[in-house]
Amino acid sequence: TIGEIVNEILTNSSAANLQTFFFENKVRELLLQILLESEKTVPAELSPVSVNALIKAKAIILSDISRHHTIGEISKRVQLNEFDLKTGFKKLWGVGIYEMLLDARMHKAKKLLLETSKPMKEIASLTGYDRLTSFIRSFRNYHNITPGSLRR
């Protein structure tokens, strides 16, 4: 558990030359445990290796929402086959890869519309849309209001 890991870090009595190594590994273990506990309950059929790959895939997707990542590209980067990537996403987060990307894009678009005066075309580009009409259509379908109406 997280408490046990923190306790091990605080009570470590390793030799000085091993302390850095011990600390770095314990911090990695702690971060992984926090990530796993912050996510929904991990389905039993997902191995820890698969969960790590899925977490990496999510990070890749959300690190640059303006970019369109293909399933094949992501699966190669996280070393998980395409089927396991797609089904694992559904099992772990309850949504598909593109649905998660769309959610991130639409939340960012809404935030930019409300908090900046950036032109609509720039917001479309920042959220991964090459064409303004595609952005407006997606935004309206997602939020049930056009971006222009929201901004006004």
Side-chain angles (χ1 to χ4, degrees), residues 57-58 61-62 64-65 67-75 82 85-87 89-90 93-106 127-129 138 142:
K58 180 180 177 181
I61 293 163
L62 298 180
D64 184 5
I65 63 170
R67 187 161 172 250
H68 175 76
H69 300 276
T70 66
I71 301 282
E73 170 196 338
I74 296 167
S75 73
E82 292 182 24
L85 178 65
K86 292 188 285 189
T87 58
F89 243 78
K90 281 276 194 190
W93 290 291
V95 295
I97 292 170
Y98 291 115
E99 188 177 350
M100 182 176 284
L101 177 60
L102 178 64
D103 287 347
R105 285 178 170 176
M106 291 298 110
T127 55
Y129 292 89
S138 291
Y142 189 88

PDB file of all heavy atoms in Angstrom, residues 57-58 61-62 64-65 67-75 82 85-87 89-90 93-106 127-129 138 142:
ATOM      1  N   ALA A  57      -0.148   4.836 -22.653  1.00  0.00           N
ATOM      2  CA  ALA A  57      -0.930   5.189 -23.845  1.00  0.00           C
ATOM      3  C   ALA A  57      -1.807   6.406 -23.564  1.00  0.00           C
ATOM      4  O   ALA A  57      -1.887   7.329 -24.381  1.00  0.00           O
ATOM      5  CB  ALA A  57      -1.781   4.007 -24.288  1.00  0.00           C
ATOM      6  N   LYS A  58      -2.444   6.412 -22.406  1.00  0.00           N
ATOM      7  CA  LYS A  58      -3.286   7.556 -22.029  1.00  0.00           C
ATOM      8  C   LYS A  58      -2.448   8.826 -21.955  1.00  0.00           C
ATOM      9  O   LYS A  58      -2.859   9.882 -22.441  1.00  0.00           O
ATOM     10  CB  LYS A  58      -3.966   7.275 -20.689  1.00  0.00           C
ATOM     11  CG  LYS A  58      -4.862   8.397 -20.212  1.00  0.00           C
ATOM     12  CD  LYS A  58      -5.500   8.039 -18.873  1.00  0.00           C
ATOM     13  CE  LYS A  58      -6.350   9.182 -18.352  1.00  0.00           C
ATOM     14  NZ  LYS A  58      -6.955   8.864 -17.044  1.00  0.00           N
ATOM     15  N   ILE A  61      -1.631  10.109 -25.462  1.00  0.00           N
ATOM     16  CA  ILE A  61      -2.793  10.727 -26.094  1.00  0.00           C
ATOM     17  C   ILE A  61      -3.062  12.108 -25.521  1.00  0.00           C
ATOM     18  O   ILE A  61      -3.278  13.070 -26.256  1.00  0.00           O
ATOM     19  CB  ILE A  61      -4.030   9.824 -25.920  1.00  0.00           C
ATOM     20  CG1 ILE A  61      -3.847   8.527 -26.703  1.00  0.00           C
ATOM     21  CG2 ILE A  61      -5.310  10.543 -26.344  1.00  0.00           C
ATOM     22  CD1 ILE A  61      -4.778   7.417 -26.282  1.00  0.00           C
ATOM     23  N   LEU A  62      -3.023  12.222 -24.206  1.00  0.00           N
ATOM     24  CA  LEU A  62      -3.384  13.482 -23.564  1.00  0.00           C
ATOM     25  C   LEU A  62      -2.245  14.495 -23.527  1.00  0.00           C
ATOM     26  O   LEU A  62      -2.480  15.667 -23.249  1.00  0.00           O
ATOM     27  CB  LEU A  62      -3.909  13.215 -22.157  1.00  0.00           C
ATOM     28  CG  LEU A  62      -5.180  12.361 -22.087  1.00  0.00           C
ATOM     29  CD1 LEU A  62      -5.615  12.166 -20.643  1.00  0.00           C
ATOM     30  CD2 LEU A  62      -6.298  12.952 -22.922  1.00  0.00           C
ATOM     31  N   ASP A  64      -0.592  15.651 -26.061  1.00  0.00           N
ATOM     32  CA  ASP A  64      -0.718  16.570 -27.193  1.00  0.00           C
ATOM     33  C   ASP A  64      -2.034  16.282 -27.897  1.00  0.00           C
ATOM     34  O   ASP A  64      -2.089  15.526 -28.861  1.00  0.00           O
ATOM     35  CB  ASP A  64       0.456  16.400 -28.159  1.00  0.00           C
ATOM     36  CG  ASP A  64       0.416  17.400 -29.305  1.00  0.00           C
ATOM     37  OD1 ASP A  64      -0.471  18.292 -29.305  1.00  0.00           O
ATOM     38  OD2 ASP A  64       1.265  17.295 -30.210  1.00  0.00           O
ATOM     39  N   ILE A  65      -3.103  16.902 -27.404  1.00  0.00           N
ATOM     40  CA  ILE A  65      -4.429  16.625 -27.966  1.00  0.00           C
ATOM     41  C   ILE A  65      -4.630  17.252 -29.339  1.00  0.00           C
ATOM     42  O   ILE A  65      -5.598  16.936 -30.016  1.00  0.00           O
ATOM     43  CB  ILE A  65      -5.561  17.063 -27.013  1.00  0.00           C
ATOM     44  CG1 ILE A  65      -5.532  18.570 -26.777  1.00  0.00           C
ATOM     45  CG2 ILE A  65      -5.508  16.274 -25.721  1.00  0.00           C
ATOM     46  CD1 ILE A  65      -6.743  19.099 -26.066  1.00  0.00           C
ATOM     47  N   ARG A  67      -2.771  16.631 -31.775  1.00  0.00           N
ATOM     48  CA  ARG A  67      -2.240  15.641 -32.713  1.00  0.00           C
ATOM     49  C   ARG A  67      -3.152  14.425 -32.776  1.00  0.00           C
ATOM     50  O   ARG A  67      -3.707  14.005 -31.768  1.00  0.00           O
ATOM     51  CB  ARG A  67      -0.848  15.226 -32.237  1.00  0.00           C
ATOM     52  CG  ARG A  67      -0.146  14.341 -33.209  1.00  0.00           C
ATOM     53  CD  ARG A  67       1.356  14.322 -32.957  1.00  0.00           C
ATOM     54  NE  ARG A  67       1.890  13.292 -33.827  1.00  0.00           N
ATOM     55  CZ  ARG A  67       2.370  12.142 -33.397  1.00  0.00           C
ATOM     56  NH1 ARG A  67       2.426  11.887 -32.114  1.00  0.00           N
ATOM     57  NH2 ARG A  67       2.810  11.242 -34.246  1.00  0.00           N
ATOM     58  N   HIS A  68      -3.282  13.874 -33.956  1.00  0.00           N
ATOM     59  CA  HIS A  68      -4.059  12.651 -34.127  1.00  0.00           C
ATOM     60  C   HIS A  68      -3.107  11.462 -34.075  1.00  0.00           C
ATOM     61  O   HIS A  68      -2.265  11.291 -34.945  1.00  0.00           O
ATOM     62  CB  HIS A  68      -4.812  12.660 -35.462  1.00  0.00           C
ATOM     63  CG  HIS A  68      -5.530  11.382 -35.737  1.00  0.00           C
ATOM     64  ND1 HIS A  68      -6.705  11.068 -35.103  1.00  0.00           N
ATOM     65  CD2 HIS A  68      -5.225  10.331 -36.525  1.00  0.00           C
ATOM     66  CE1 HIS A  68      -7.103   9.867 -35.511  1.00  0.00           C
ATOM     67  NE2 HIS A  68      -6.213   9.412 -36.373  1.00  0.00           N
ATOM     68  N   HIS A  69      -3.223  10.673 -33.027  1.00  0.00           N
ATOM     69  CA  HIS A  69      -2.406   9.477 -32.881  1.00  0.00           C
ATOM     70  C   HIS A  69      -3.210   8.293 -33.411  1.00  0.00           C
ATOM     71  O   HIS A  69      -4.378   8.137 -33.068  1.00  0.00           O
ATOM     72  CB  HIS A  69      -2.083   9.207 -31.407  1.00  0.00           C
ATOM     73  CG  HIS A  69      -1.339  10.307 -30.735  1.00  0.00           C
ATOM     74  ND1 HIS A  69       0.022  10.427 -30.813  1.00  0.00           N
ATOM     75  CD2 HIS A  69      -1.757  11.340 -29.965  1.00  0.00           C
ATOM     76  CE1 HIS A  69       0.409  11.478 -30.124  1.00  0.00           C
ATOM     77  NE2 HIS A  69      -0.648  12.052 -29.606  1.00  0.00           N
ATOM     78  N   THR A  70      -2.591   7.447 -34.219  1.00  0.00           N
ATOM     79  CA  THR A  70      -3.284   6.255 -34.686  1.00  0.00           C
ATOM     80  C   THR A  70      -3.162   5.161 -33.631  1.00  0.00           C
ATOM     81  O   THR A  70      -2.226   5.155 -32.825  1.00  0.00           O
ATOM     82  CB  THR A  70      -2.701   5.730 -36.015  1.00  0.00           C
ATOM     83  OG1 THR A  70      -1.367   5.274 -35.778  1.00  0.00           O
ATOM     84  CG2 THR A  70      -2.721   6.801 -37.099  1.00  0.00           C
ATOM     85  N   ILE A  71      -4.115   4.243 -33.668  1.00  0.00           N
ATOM     86  CA  ILE A  71      -4.077   3.105 -32.748  1.00  0.00           C
ATOM     87  C   ILE A  71      -2.781   2.326 -32.953  1.00  0.00           C
ATOM     88  O   ILE A  71      -2.126   1.935 -31.982  1.00  0.00           O
ATOM     89  CB  ILE A  71      -5.290   2.177 -32.978  1.00  0.00           C
ATOM     90  CG1 ILE A  71      -6.609   2.931 -32.787  1.00  0.00           C
ATOM     91  CG2 ILE A  71      -5.224   0.931 -32.109  1.00  0.00           C
ATOM     92  CD1 ILE A  71      -7.033   3.170 -31.389  1.00  0.00           C
ATOM     93  N   GLY A  72      -2.399   2.121 -34.195  1.00  0.00           N
ATOM     94  CA  GLY A  72      -1.177   1.381 -34.501  1.00  0.00           C
ATOM     95  C   GLY A  72       0.061   2.047 -33.926  1.00  0.00           C
ATOM     96  O   GLY A  72       0.935   1.374 -33.367  1.00  0.00           O
ATOM     97  N   GLU A  73       0.138   3.351 -34.078  1.00  0.00           N
ATOM     98  CA  GLU A  73       1.286   4.108 -33.556  1.00  0.00           C
ATOM     99  C   GLU A  73       1.366   3.997 -32.037  1.00  0.00           C
ATOM    100  O   GLU A  73       2.432   3.730 -31.480  1.00  0.00           O
ATOM    101  CB  GLU A  73       1.142   5.577 -33.966  1.00  0.00           C
ATOM    102  CG  GLU A  73       2.110   6.524 -33.324  1.00  0.00           C
ATOM    103  CD  GLU A  73       1.684   7.986 -33.461  1.00  0.00           C
ATOM    104  OE1 GLU A  73       0.907   8.317 -34.369  1.00  0.00           O
ATOM    105  OE2 GLU A  73       2.135   8.787 -32.620  1.00  0.00           O
ATOM    106  N   ILE A  74       0.244   4.168 -31.377  1.00  0.00           N
ATOM    107  CA  ILE A  74       0.227   4.091 -29.916  1.00  0.00           C
ATOM    108  C   ILE A  74       0.587   2.684 -29.452  1.00  0.00           C
ATOM    109  O   ILE A  74       1.390   2.508 -28.536  1.00  0.00           O
ATOM    110  CB  ILE A  74      -1.147   4.507 -29.356  1.00  0.00           C
ATOM    111  CG1 ILE A  74      -1.432   5.977 -29.673  1.00  0.00           C
ATOM    112  CG2 ILE A  74      -1.211   4.275 -27.842  1.00  0.00           C
ATOM    113  CD1 ILE A  74      -2.870   6.385 -29.444  1.00  0.00           C
ATOM    114  N   SER A  75       0.002   1.675 -30.101  1.00  0.00           N
ATOM    115  CA  SER A  75       0.258   0.295 -29.673  1.00  0.00           C
ATOM    116  C   SER A  75       1.739  -0.055 -29.813  1.00  0.00           C
ATOM    117  O   SER A  75       2.294  -0.739 -28.958  1.00  0.00           O
ATOM    118  CB  SER A  75      -0.619  -0.696 -30.432  1.00  0.00           C
ATOM    119  OG  SER A  75      -0.208  -0.850 -31.758  1.00  0.00           O
ATOM    120  N   GLU A  82      -2.887  -3.953 -30.780  1.00  0.00           N
ATOM    121  CA  GLU A  82      -3.993  -3.026 -30.975  1.00  0.00           C
ATOM    122  C   GLU A  82      -5.270  -3.480 -30.278  1.00  0.00           C
ATOM    123  O   GLU A  82      -5.977  -2.674 -29.672  1.00  0.00           O
ATOM    124  CB  GLU A  82      -4.244  -2.804 -32.471  1.00  0.00           C
ATOM    125  CG  GLU A  82      -3.116  -2.061 -33.150  1.00  0.00           C
ATOM    126  CD  GLU A  82      -3.377  -1.793 -34.626  1.00  0.00           C
ATOM    127  OE1 GLU A  82      -4.553  -1.766 -35.040  1.00  0.00           O
ATOM    128  OE2 GLU A  82      -2.403  -1.597 -35.369  1.00  0.00           O
ATOM    129  N   LEU A  85      -4.943  -2.958 -26.591  1.00  0.00           N
ATOM    130  CA  LEU A  85      -4.962  -1.524 -26.317  1.00  0.00           C
ATOM    131  C   LEU A  85      -6.405  -1.014 -26.289  1.00  0.00           C
ATOM    132  O   LEU A  85      -6.827  -0.354 -25.341  1.00  0.00           O
ATOM    133  CB  LEU A  85      -4.142  -0.766 -27.369  1.00  0.00           C
ATOM    134  CG  LEU A  85      -4.106   0.751 -27.246  1.00  0.00           C
ATOM    135  CD1 LEU A  85      -3.399   1.182 -25.968  1.00  0.00           C
ATOM    136  CD2 LEU A  85      -3.405   1.352 -28.458  1.00  0.00           C
ATOM    137  N   LYS A  86      -7.159  -1.349 -27.327  1.00  0.00           N
ATOM    138  CA  LYS A  86      -8.548  -0.861 -27.412  1.00  0.00           C
ATOM    139  C   LYS A  86      -9.431  -1.453 -26.322  1.00  0.00           C
ATOM    140  O   LYS A  86     -10.176  -0.729 -25.659  1.00  0.00           O
ATOM    141  CB  LYS A  86      -9.133  -1.160 -28.787  1.00  0.00           C
ATOM    142  CG  LYS A  86      -8.483  -0.344 -29.898  1.00  0.00           C
ATOM    143  CD  LYS A  86      -9.186  -0.510 -31.223  1.00  0.00           C
ATOM    144  CE  LYS A  86      -8.872  -1.851 -31.840  1.00  0.00           C
ATOM    145  NZ  LYS A  86      -9.365  -1.975 -33.217  1.00  0.00           N
ATOM    146  N   THR A  87      -9.346  -2.766 -26.122  1.00  0.00           N
ATOM    147  CA  THR A  87     -10.199  -3.387 -25.101  1.00  0.00           C
ATOM    148  C   THR A  87      -9.742  -3.003 -23.696  1.00  0.00           C
ATOM    149  O   THR A  87     -10.571  -2.820 -22.803  1.00  0.00           O
ATOM    150  CB  THR A  87     -10.244  -4.922 -25.253  1.00  0.00           C
ATOM    151  OG1 THR A  87      -8.918  -5.444 -25.165  1.00  0.00           O
ATOM    152  CG2 THR A  87     -10.885  -5.326 -26.557  1.00  0.00           C
ATOM    153  N   PHE A  89      -8.420  -0.161 -22.761  1.00  0.00           N
ATOM    154  CA  PHE A  89      -8.914   1.193 -22.501  1.00  0.00           C
ATOM    155  C   PHE A  89     -10.349   1.138 -22.004  1.00  0.00           C
ATOM    156  O   PHE A  89     -10.704   1.781 -21.015  1.00  0.00           O
ATOM    157  CB  PHE A  89      -8.843   2.027 -23.791  1.00  0.00           C
ATOM    158  CG  PHE A  89      -7.919   3.192 -23.685  1.00  0.00           C
ATOM    159  CD1 PHE A  89      -6.559   3.018 -23.787  1.00  0.00           C
ATOM    160  CD2 PHE A  89      -8.409   4.461 -23.477  1.00  0.00           C
ATOM    161  CE1 PHE A  89      -5.692   4.089 -23.689  1.00  0.00           C
ATOM    162  CE2 PHE A  89      -7.564   5.542 -23.381  1.00  0.00           C
ATOM    163  CZ  PHE A  89      -6.195   5.356 -23.481  1.00  0.00           C
ATOM    164  N   LYS A  90     -11.174   0.376 -22.702  1.00  0.00           N
ATOM    165  CA  LYS A  90     -12.581   0.246 -22.310  1.00  0.00           C
ATOM    166  C   LYS A  90     -12.707  -0.362 -20.917  1.00  0.00           C
ATOM    167  O   LYS A  90     -13.523   0.082 -20.113  1.00  0.00           O
ATOM    168  CB  LYS A  90     -13.337  -0.624 -23.317  1.00  0.00           C
ATOM    169  CG  LYS A  90     -13.721   0.091 -24.578  1.00  0.00           C
ATOM    170  CD  LYS A  90     -14.991   0.834 -24.362  1.00  0.00           C
ATOM    171  CE  LYS A  90     -15.536   1.264 -25.713  1.00  0.00           C
ATOM    172  NZ  LYS A  90     -16.629   2.182 -25.585  1.00  0.00           N
ATOM    173  N   TRP A  93     -10.889   2.377 -18.203  1.00  0.00           N
ATOM    174  CA  TRP A  93     -11.486   3.701 -18.034  1.00  0.00           C
ATOM    175  C   TRP A  93     -12.944   3.794 -18.461  1.00  0.00           C
ATOM    176  O   TRP A  93     -13.576   4.832 -18.278  1.00  0.00           O
ATOM    177  CB  TRP A  93     -10.657   4.753 -18.787  1.00  0.00           C
ATOM    178  CG  TRP A  93      -9.344   4.968 -18.123  1.00  0.00           C
ATOM    179  CD1 TRP A  93      -9.127   5.548 -16.908  1.00  0.00           C
ATOM    180  CD2 TRP A  93      -8.054   4.578 -18.613  1.00  0.00           C
ATOM    181  NE1 TRP A  93      -7.779   5.532 -16.621  1.00  0.00           N
ATOM    182  CE2 TRP A  93      -7.098   4.949 -17.646  1.00  0.00           C
ATOM    183  CE3 TRP A  93      -7.615   3.957 -19.770  1.00  0.00           C
ATOM    184  CZ2 TRP A  93      -5.744   4.725 -17.807  1.00  0.00           C
ATOM    185  CZ3 TRP A  93      -6.266   3.726 -19.919  1.00  0.00           C
ATOM    186  CH2 TRP A  93      -5.346   4.114 -18.954  1.00  0.00           C
ATOM    187  N   GLY A  94     -13.475   2.753 -19.063  1.00  0.00           N
ATOM    188  CA  GLY A  94     -14.881   2.766 -19.458  1.00  0.00           C
ATOM    189  C   GLY A  94     -15.178   3.563 -20.711  1.00  0.00           C
ATOM    190  O   GLY A  94     -16.338   3.791 -21.041  1.00  0.00           O
ATOM    191  N   VAL A  95     -14.136   4.025 -21.398  1.00  0.00           N
ATOM    192  CA  VAL A  95     -14.309   4.770 -22.653  1.00  0.00           C
ATOM    193  C   VAL A  95     -13.267   4.304 -23.651  1.00  0.00           C
ATOM    194  O   VAL A  95     -12.231   3.766 -23.270  1.00  0.00           O
ATOM    195  CB  VAL A  95     -14.168   6.308 -22.458  1.00  0.00           C
ATOM    196  CG1 VAL A  95     -15.263   6.860 -21.582  1.00  0.00           C
ATOM    197  CG2 VAL A  95     -12.807   6.684 -21.914  1.00  0.00           C
ATOM    198  N   GLY A  96     -13.546   4.545 -24.919  1.00  0.00           N
ATOM    199  CA  GLY A  96     -12.585   4.228 -25.956  1.00  0.00           C
ATOM    200  C   GLY A  96     -11.511   5.291 -26.058  1.00  0.00           C
ATOM    201  O   GLY A  96     -11.618   6.374 -25.467  1.00  0.00           O
ATOM    202  N   ILE A  97     -10.487   4.988 -26.820  1.00  0.00           N
ATOM    203  CA  ILE A  97      -9.361   5.902 -26.987  1.00  0.00           C
ATOM    204  C   ILE A  97      -9.815   7.233 -27.584  1.00  0.00           C
ATOM    205  O   ILE A  97      -9.490   8.311 -27.081  1.00  0.00           O
ATOM    206  CB  ILE A  97      -8.272   5.253 -27.863  1.00  0.00           C
ATOM    207  CG1 ILE A  97      -7.642   4.080 -27.098  1.00  0.00           C
ATOM    208  CG2 ILE A  97      -7.208   6.263 -28.272  1.00  0.00           C
ATOM    209  CD1 ILE A  97      -6.727   3.216 -27.936  1.00  0.00           C
ATOM    210  N   TYR A  98     -10.588   7.161 -28.667  1.00  0.00           N
ATOM    211  CA  TYR A  98     -10.990   8.396 -29.329  1.00  0.00           C
ATOM    212  C   TYR A  98     -12.015   9.174 -28.510  1.00  0.00           C
ATOM    213  O   TYR A  98     -12.052  10.405 -28.550  1.00  0.00           O
ATOM    214  CB  TYR A  98     -11.489   8.106 -30.741  1.00  0.00           C
ATOM    215  CG  TYR A  98     -10.351   7.653 -31.626  1.00  0.00           C
ATOM    216  CD1 TYR A  98     -10.312   6.375 -32.162  1.00  0.00           C
ATOM    217  CD2 TYR A  98      -9.269   8.493 -31.884  1.00  0.00           C
ATOM    218  CE1 TYR A  98      -9.247   5.953 -32.942  1.00  0.00           C
ATOM    219  CE2 TYR A  98      -8.196   8.085 -32.658  1.00  0.00           C
ATOM    220  CZ  TYR A  98      -8.199   6.809 -33.176  1.00  0.00           C
ATOM    221  OH  TYR A  98      -7.133   6.405 -33.941  1.00  0.00           O
ATOM    222  N   GLU A  99     -12.811   8.474 -27.725  1.00  0.00           N
ATOM    223  CA  GLU A  99     -13.752   9.161 -26.846  1.00  0.00           C
ATOM    224  C   GLU A  99     -12.998   9.954 -25.775  1.00  0.00           C
ATOM    225  O   GLU A  99     -13.349  11.086 -25.460  1.00  0.00           O
ATOM    226  CB  GLU A  99     -14.686   8.134 -26.199  1.00  0.00           C
ATOM    227  CG  GLU A  99     -15.817   8.755 -25.424  1.00  0.00           C
ATOM    228  CD  GLU A  99     -16.760   7.706 -24.849  1.00  0.00           C
ATOM    229  OE1 GLU A  99     -16.649   6.512 -25.193  1.00  0.00           O
ATOM    230  OE2 GLU A  99     -17.607   8.093 -24.031  1.00  0.00           O
ATOM    231  N   MET A 100     -11.929   9.354 -25.241  1.00  0.00           N
ATOM    232  CA  MET A 100     -11.108  10.059 -24.251  1.00  0.00           C
ATOM    233  C   MET A 100     -10.447  11.283 -24.886  1.00  0.00           C
ATOM    234  O   MET A 100     -10.404  12.362 -24.287  1.00  0.00           O
ATOM    235  CB  MET A 100     -10.049   9.133 -23.674  1.00  0.00           C
ATOM    236  CG  MET A 100      -9.200   9.793 -22.597  1.00  0.00           C
ATOM    237  SD  MET A 100      -8.036   8.664 -21.836  1.00  0.00           S
ATOM    238  CE  MET A 100      -9.158   7.749 -20.779  1.00  0.00           C
ATOM    239  N   LEU A 101      -9.947  11.129 -26.107  1.00  0.00           N
ATOM    240  CA  LEU A 101      -9.330  12.247 -26.823  1.00  0.00           C
ATOM    241  C   LEU A 101     -10.363  13.342 -27.082  1.00  0.00           C
ATOM    242  O   LEU A 101     -10.085  14.527 -26.874  1.00  0.00           O
ATOM    243  CB  LEU A 101      -8.710  11.765 -28.136  1.00  0.00           C
ATOM    244  CG  LEU A 101      -8.098  12.836 -29.032  1.00  0.00           C
ATOM    245  CD1 LEU A 101      -6.967  13.570 -28.324  1.00  0.00           C
ATOM    246  CD2 LEU A 101      -7.595  12.208 -30.327  1.00  0.00           C
ATOM    247  N   LEU A 102     -11.551  12.953 -27.533  1.00  0.00           N
ATOM    248  CA  LEU A 102     -12.600  13.939 -27.792  1.00  0.00           C
ATOM    249  C   LEU A 102     -12.964  14.690 -26.516  1.00  0.00           C
ATOM    250  O   LEU A 102     -13.116  15.916 -26.539  1.00  0.00           O
ATOM    251  CB  LEU A 102     -13.844  13.256 -28.386  1.00  0.00           C
ATOM    252  CG  LEU A 102     -15.028  14.177 -28.659  1.00  0.00           C
ATOM    253  CD1 LEU A 102     -14.683  15.212 -29.729  1.00  0.00           C
ATOM    254  CD2 LEU A 102     -16.249  13.370 -29.050  1.00  0.00           C
ATOM    255  N   ASP A 103     -13.103  13.981 -25.397  1.00  0.00           N
ATOM    256  CA  ASP A 103     -13.406  14.640 -24.119  1.00  0.00           C
ATOM    257  C   ASP A 103     -12.345  15.685 -23.786  1.00  0.00           C
ATOM    258  O   ASP A 103     -12.673  16.808 -23.413  1.00  0.00           O
ATOM    259  CB  ASP A 103     -13.470  13.619 -22.979  1.00  0.00           C
ATOM    260  CG  ASP A 103     -14.713  12.746 -23.013  1.00  0.00           C
ATOM    261  OD1 ASP A 103     -15.661  13.064 -23.745  1.00  0.00           O
ATOM    262  OD2 ASP A 103     -14.722  11.730 -22.297  1.00  0.00           O
ATOM    263  N   ALA A 104     -11.082  15.311 -23.931  1.00  0.00           N
ATOM    264  CA  ALA A 104      -9.987  16.241 -23.621  1.00  0.00           C
ATOM    265  C   ALA A 104     -10.023  17.449 -24.557  1.00  0.00           C
ATOM    266  O   ALA A 104      -9.844  18.590 -24.123  1.00  0.00           O
ATOM    267  CB  ALA A 104      -8.640  15.526 -23.723  1.00  0.00           C
ATOM    268  N   ARG A 105     -10.258  17.196 -25.840  1.00  0.00           N
ATOM    269  CA  ARG A 105     -10.308  18.300 -26.812  1.00  0.00           C
ATOM    270  C   ARG A 105     -11.454  19.254 -26.521  1.00  0.00           C
ATOM    271  O   ARG A 105     -11.288  20.476 -26.553  1.00  0.00           O
ATOM    272  CB  ARG A 105     -10.456  17.736 -28.234  1.00  0.00           C
ATOM    273  CG  ARG A 105      -9.194  17.144 -28.779  1.00  0.00           C
ATOM    274  CD  ARG A 105      -9.408  16.554 -30.152  1.00  0.00           C
ATOM    275  NE  ARG A 105      -8.122  16.190 -30.749  1.00  0.00           N
ATOM    276  CZ  ARG A 105      -8.002  15.578 -31.909  1.00  0.00           C
ATOM    277  NH1 ARG A 105      -9.071  15.235 -32.612  1.00  0.00           N
ATOM    278  NH2 ARG A 105      -6.798  15.298 -32.373  1.00  0.00           N
ATOM    279  N   MET A 106     -12.613  18.713 -26.227  1.00  0.00           N
ATOM    280  CA  MET A 106     -13.791  19.557 -25.999  1.00  0.00           C
ATOM    281  C   MET A 106     -13.683  20.339 -24.691  1.00  0.00           C
ATOM    282  O   MET A 106     -14.112  21.488 -24.621  1.00  0.00           O
ATOM    283  CB  MET A 106     -15.062  18.708 -26.020  1.00  0.00           C
ATOM    284  CG  MET A 106     -15.391  18.164 -27.406  1.00  0.00           C
ATOM    285  SD  MET A 106     -15.712  19.470 -28.624  1.00  0.00           S
ATOM    286  CE  MET A 106     -14.273  19.357 -29.673  1.00  0.00           C
ATOM    287  N   THR A 127      -6.873  22.363 -30.694  1.00  0.00           N
ATOM    288  CA  THR A 127      -7.585  21.182 -30.203  1.00  0.00           C
ATOM    289  C   THR A 127      -7.665  20.080 -31.254  1.00  0.00           C
ATOM    290  O   THR A 127      -8.469  19.150 -31.120  1.00  0.00           O
ATOM    291  CB  THR A 127      -8.987  21.561 -29.686  1.00  0.00           C
ATOM    292  OG1 THR A 127      -9.709  22.242 -30.706  1.00  0.00           O
ATOM    293  CG2 THR A 127      -8.895  22.423 -28.442  1.00  0.00           C
ATOM    294  N   GLY A 128      -6.829  20.190 -32.285  1.00  0.00           N
ATOM    295  CA  GLY A 128      -6.690  19.077 -33.231  1.00  0.00           C
ATOM    296  C   GLY A 128      -7.568  19.098 -34.456  1.00  0.00           C
ATOM    297  O   GLY A 128      -7.703  18.074 -35.127  1.00  0.00           O
ATOM    298  N   TYR A 129      -8.152  20.228 -34.779  1.00  0.00           N
ATOM    299  CA  TYR A 129      -9.028  20.305 -35.953  1.00  0.00           C
ATOM    300  C   TYR A 129      -8.374  21.151 -37.038  1.00  0.00           C
ATOM    301  O   TYR A 129      -7.992  22.286 -36.800  1.00  0.00           O
ATOM    302  CB  TYR A 129     -10.393  20.891 -35.567  1.00  0.00           C
ATOM    303  CG  TYR A 129     -11.183  19.959 -34.687  1.00  0.00           C
ATOM    304  CD1 TYR A 129     -11.049  19.998 -33.306  1.00  0.00           C
ATOM    305  CD2 TYR A 129     -12.034  19.007 -35.238  1.00  0.00           C
ATOM    306  CE1 TYR A 129     -11.746  19.118 -32.491  1.00  0.00           C
ATOM    307  CE2 TYR A 129     -12.731  18.120 -34.430  1.00  0.00           C
ATOM    308  CZ  TYR A 129     -12.582  18.188 -33.063  1.00  0.00           C
ATOM    309  OH  TYR A 129     -13.274  17.307 -32.267  1.00  0.00           O
ATOM    310  N   SER A 138     -18.219  19.324 -34.209  1.00  0.00           N
ATOM    311  CA  SER A 138     -17.878  18.470 -33.064  1.00  0.00           C
ATOM    312  C   SER A 138     -18.242  19.141 -31.741  1.00  0.00           C
ATOM    313  O   SER A 138     -18.782  18.496 -30.836  1.00  0.00           O
ATOM    314  CB  SER A 138     -16.387  18.140 -33.066  1.00  0.00           C
ATOM    315  OG  SER A 138     -16.067  17.300 -34.124  1.00  0.00           O
ATOM    316  N   TYR A 142     -21.009  17.825 -29.052  1.00  0.00           N
ATOM    317  CA  TYR A 142     -20.548  17.464 -27.712  1.00  0.00           C
ATOM    318  C   TYR A 142     -21.220  18.304 -26.624  1.00  0.00           C
ATOM    319  O   TYR A 142     -21.668  17.781 -25.619  1.00  0.00           O
ATOM    320  CB  TYR A 142     -19.026  17.620 -27.626  1.00  0.00           C
ATOM    321  CG  TYR A 142     -18.433  17.080 -26.356  1.00  0.00           C
ATOM    322  CD1 TYR A 142     -18.060  15.746 -26.270  1.00  0.00           C
ATOM    323  CD2 TYR A 142     -18.239  17.894 -25.241  1.00  0.00           C
ATOM    324  CE1 TYR A 142     -17.505  15.231 -25.102  1.00  0.00           C
ATOM    325  CE2 TYR A 142     -17.695  17.391 -24.070  1.00  0.00           C
ATOM    326  CZ  TYR A 142     -17.336  16.060 -24.007  1.00  0.00           C
ATOM    327  OH  TYR A 142     -16.802  15.556 -22.846  1.00  0.00           O
TER     328      TYR A 142
END
